């Protein structure tokens, strides 16, 4: 029954990316690390890194995309949660599904459920939101390396997929070193390091912390934080030796950043409109992505107009009149 429920969700959009249909060749995560000097990733982002946006960034040089964080306990227990939280399609590869978990069984069960439809699973050890930490999820786990190791070990064994972790750094970097080493020993395939502590938000990400993690393990390390353009990628790679980079706000602002664009080109905006109309995204999702994409190319007075639009027809009319997008 669970497998059938998953199949229903997975094939909701069919073959979503011409040229990447079912059975076509693509590099899986560990192959990407072997083949590329720097693997370019789209971060897991609540509400934003859903299938339609993943479809867009894959057209612009994104090597590996993550789902938004999914709470493993509800995912395992509820068919409705599975249908709501996980949708993919034939061309949505390579794909990593990120879970929040505080028990090894929940994480392993969830990993096993998505295994036929994904190329990896990731344990969120970085979410700093109060609700997540109070539940024992996210950045709460950076102080519990043995639990993280247990979850990684069990998910590896049960799913057969590569298992990664995404962490924030501890104020005491010795604890970060202990965490990444234990995760590696438990079988983590790679480790993503967001170079900020739980309490930091807008402060510059610490690439020294990323470098320390990289020097502490032999598995690939991915740098996250302040990745917005090719110059950032080159700088971070040189500073840290990281095997990959992961962008969040940078790729929201500019889904074409990995293709070398300094800001979102209009043809990328046009493609987002086409994808959104074809897949039936909610108005809120459609509009919010456009607000991010157009932020750098729209005057302040125009932003006030665009950002307060309240319907899809109004947005489409605005884009047609101001950008020639029809």
């Amino acid at each position: 029954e669970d497998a059938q429920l998953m199949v229903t969700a997975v094939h909701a959009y069919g073959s979503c990316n011409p040229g990447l249909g079912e059975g076509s060749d693509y590099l899986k995560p560990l192959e990407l690390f072997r083949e590329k000097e720097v693997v370019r990733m789209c971060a897991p982002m609540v509400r934003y890194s859903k299938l339609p946006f993943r479809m867009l960034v894959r057209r612009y040089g994104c090597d590996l995309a993550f789902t938004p964080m999914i709470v493993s306990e509800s995912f395992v227990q509820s068919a409705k949660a599975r249908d709501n939280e996980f949708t993919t399609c034939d061309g949505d590869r390579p794909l990593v599904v990120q879970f929040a978990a505080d028990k090894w069984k929940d994480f392993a069960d969830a990993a096993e459920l998505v295994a036929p439809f994904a190329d990896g699973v990731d344990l969120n050890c970085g979410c700093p939101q109060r609700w997540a930490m109070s539940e024992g999820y996210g950045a709460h786990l950076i102080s519990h390396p043995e639990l993280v190791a247990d979850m990684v070990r069990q998910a590896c064994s049960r799913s057969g997929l590569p298992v990664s972790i995404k962490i924030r750094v501890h104020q005491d970097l010795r604890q970060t070193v202990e965490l990444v080493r234990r995760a590696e020993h438990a079988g983590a395939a790679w480790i993503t390091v967001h170079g900020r502590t739980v309490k930091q938000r807008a402060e510059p990400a610490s690439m020294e912390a990323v470098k320390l993690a990289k020097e502490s393990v032999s598995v690939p390390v991915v740098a996250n934080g302040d990745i917005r353009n090719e110059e950032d990628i080159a700088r971070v790679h040189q500073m840290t030796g990281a095997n990959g980079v992961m962008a969040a706000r940078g790729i929201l602002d500019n889904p074409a950043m990995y293709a070398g664009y300094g800001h979102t080109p209009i043809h990328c905006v046009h493609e987002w409109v086409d994808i959104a109309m074809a897949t039936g995204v909610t108005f809120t999702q459609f509009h919010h992505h456009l607000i991010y994409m157009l932020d750098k190319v729209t005057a302040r007075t125009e932003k006030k107009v665009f950002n307060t639009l309240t319907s899809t027809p109004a947005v489409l009319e605005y884009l047609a009149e101001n950008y020639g997008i029809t």
Side-chain angles (χ1 to χ4, degrees):
E1 182 184 0
D2 286 340
Q4 185 55 49
L5 286 164
M6 290 299 297
V7 168
T8 300
V10 162
H11 291 291
Y13 290 137
S15 183
C16 62
N17 201 348
L20 288 175
E22 190 168 15
S24 65
D25 292 333
Y26 64 91
L27 293 177
K28 295 189 176 184
L30 298 183
E31 294 171 330
L32 286 168
F33 285 120
R34 287 194 291 269
E35 295 280 332
K36 293 178 175 281
E37 187 176 29
V38 181
V39 180
R40 291 157 164 79
M41 302 184 184
C42 176
M45 293 177 283
V46 173
R47 295 185 301 278
Y48 291 115
S49 63
K50 294 185 175 182
L51 174 61
F53 189 68
R54 298 196 301 267
M55 292 164 62
L56 180 66
V57 298
R58 291 186 191 282
R59 300 180 182 184
Y60 288 93
C62 178
D63 297 316
L64 183 60
F66 284 61
T67 68
M69 180 184 78
I70 300 169
V71 176
S72 59
E73 182 180 28
S74 58
F75 188 80
V76 169
Q77 294 178 358
S78 165
K80 183 177 180 181
R82 290 191 288 275
D83 289 342
N84 288 341
E85 299 295 334
F86 182 61
T87 306
T88 185
C89 65
D90 298 334
D92 186 29
R93 308 297 282 268
L95 177 67
V96 177
V97 182
Q98 190 192 65
F99 289 106
D102 64 342
K103 300 178 185 69
W104 69 259
K105 189 176 187 307
D106 289 339
F107 185 47
D109 286 348
E112 194 172 29
L113 272 175
V114 300
F117 315 107
D119 302 290
V121 292
D122 184 81
L123 177 63
N124 185 312
C125 304
C127 179
Q129 294 185 32
R130 191 173 301 164
W131 76 266
M133 295 186 65
S134 69
E135 295 284 342
Y137 302 145
H140 172 83
L141 294 172
I142 65 175
S143 299
H144 300 275
E146 194 54 52
L147 176 57
V148 170
D150 283 345
M151 289 198 276
V152 169
R153 192 178 297 113
Q154 294 293 339
C156 284
S157 174
R158 291 270 302 281
S159 72
L161 291 175
V163 178
S164 58
I165 65 172
K166 182 175 186 292
I167 69 170
R168 281 194 173 229
V169 296
H170 207 283
Q171 285 185 311
D172 179 357
L173 287 177
R174 291 173 298 183
Q175 293 193 46
T176 298
V177 170
E178 172 76 3
L179 174 62
V180 298
R181 285 178 173 167
R182 288 209 186 193
E184 177 185 37
H185 186 70
W190 74 89
I191 296 166
T192 302
V193 181
H194 183 167
R196 293 185 175 93
T197 66
V198 172
K199 292 182 179 179
Q200 291 177 318
R201 293 294 187 272
E203 297 89 338
S206 169
M207 291 304 139
E208 286 300 317
V210 176
K211 181 181 179 184
L212 179 62
K214 171 64 182 167
E215 292 171 346
S216 301
V217 294
S218 58
V219 295
V221 168
V222 177
N224 175 221
D226 301 334
I227 307 293
R228 294 182 175 273
N229 51 50
E230 286 297 316
E231 292 75 18
D232 290 339
I233 295 169
R235 172 181 55 81
V236 166
H237 178 62
Q238 183 177 18
M239 288 176 64
T240 67
N243 306 88
V245 293
M246 178 182 281
R249 179 59 192 261
I251 205 166
L252 273 182
D253 287 345
N254 179 11
M257 61 172 282
Y258 287 142
Y261 291 92
H263 54 77
T264 308
I266 291 303
H267 54 80
C268 180
V269 177
H270 201 159
E271 286 188 78
W272 170 245
V273 173
D274 289 345
I275 290 170
M277 294 303 100
T279 57
V281 303
T282 65
F283 169 72
T284 299
Q285 187 182 356
F286 174 55
H287 189 214
H288 281 191
H289 275 295
L290 287 169
I291 288 171
Y292 280 115
M293 290 181 206
L294 296 172
D295 185 60
K296 299 290 191 294
V297 296
T298 307
R300 183 177 298 178
T301 52
E302 287 300 311
K303 284 181 196 175
K304 288 182 179 178
V305 174
F306 183 75
N307 294 2
T308 55
L309 297 177
T310 58
S311 70
T312 296
V315 168
L316 294 176
E317 182 180 353
Y318 180 94
L319 294 175
E321 290 180 358
N322 291 274
Y323 295 101
I325 295 173
T326 56

